[in-house]
Amino acid sequence: MNVREKYNQITLKLIERGLTITTMESCTSGQIASLLTDTEGSSAVMKGAFVTYSNEAKIKQGVPKEIIEKYGVYSEETAVSMAKEARKAYDADIAIGVTGTMGNVDPANNDSVPGTVFFAICTTKDIYFKRFEVAPKENRLEYKLAACDVIADCLLDLLKDI
């Protein structure tokens, strides 16, 4: 199943279960929200989303500056905080926070490791976290879709238990 089919399935499951979702995305630049909303009826489940590409944007949406300073913007702690803040902002059942470095080193952040992505999924009961590597890709869209694919697999697994 390709990444678009996975998100279609996720959105349909959310609709069927009456669950809402939101995202705070950095390296995926809103690609997850876009994929979720490609399915007819997604407005019933997508509460809204944040694209927080810069550290400043993350902080403005509630990620504590101290977390970024202590653990780095590319960290489990930042991804978890992003998910928690997005969930709180939209009072959603599920929230995804994702941060990482695609193709090349980020000169503004010394914790940048190309291809390394951190994400968290925050539900009403739990927080799930994962760090993974994206193999080199031809372009930015391929990096984003590869990251979204890994996150989709985790979402599909989580939806079995929700």
Side-chain angles (χ1 to χ4, degrees):
M1 183 177 346
N2 73 36
V3 69
R4 293 187 184 283
E5 292 166 341
K6 289 176 186 179
Y7 278 94
N8 179 61
Q9 194 174 74
I10 290 164
T11 302
L12 291 174
K13 285 178 189 266
L14 293 170
I15 292 168
E16 177 185 305
R17 296 184 183 156
L19 297 171
T20 57
I21 193 165
T22 184
T23 67
M24 187 179 297
E25 301 178 62
S26 186
C27 61
T28 51
S29 307
Q31 190 70 54
I32 296 168
S34 178
L35 288 163
L36 287 165
T37 58
D38 283 346
T39 299
E40 194 67 40
S42 61
S43 61
V45 297
M46 175 52 89
K47 298 276 285 221
F50 300 104
V51 175
T52 55
Y53 214 63
S54 68
N55 294 3
E56 178 187 12
K58 290 171 190 66
I59 293 164
K60 284 188 176 195
Q61 294 308 324
V63 175
K65 183 178 182 179
E66 298 76 28
I67 286 181
I68 293 172
E69 288 173 350
K70 183 174 181 179
Y71 301 102
V73 71
Y74 307 120
S75 66
E76 169 186 349
E77 293 81 3
T78 297
V80 167
S81 184
M82 290 169 73
K84 284 181 175 178
E85 292 302 322
R87 187 174 172 280
K88 185 169 77 176
Y90 283 109
D91 192 28
D93 297 306
I94 301 167
I96 303 162
V98 59
T99 183
T101 306
M102 301 301 190
N104 50 7
V105 173
D106 174 359
N109 293 288
N110 62 7
D111 61 333
S112 171
V113 178
T116 303
V117 177
F118 298 85
F119 76 92
I121 301 172
C122 180
T123 69
T124 56
K125 296 178 186 165
D126 245 331
I127 298 174
Y128 176 84
F129 162 78
K130 187 169 183 172
R131 173 190 188 271
F132 65 94
E133 304 297 321
V134 176
K137 302 291 178 200
E138 289 292 316
N139 58 55
R140 217 54 174 175
L141 179 59
E142 285 184 25
Y143 273 105
K144 292 191 290 186
L145 290 172
C148 290
D149 196 34
V150 172
I151 295 167
D153 289 339
C154 291
L155 271 170
L156 286 166
D157 280 347
L158 284 174
L159 285 171
K160 291 176 187 172
D161 299 327
I162 295 178

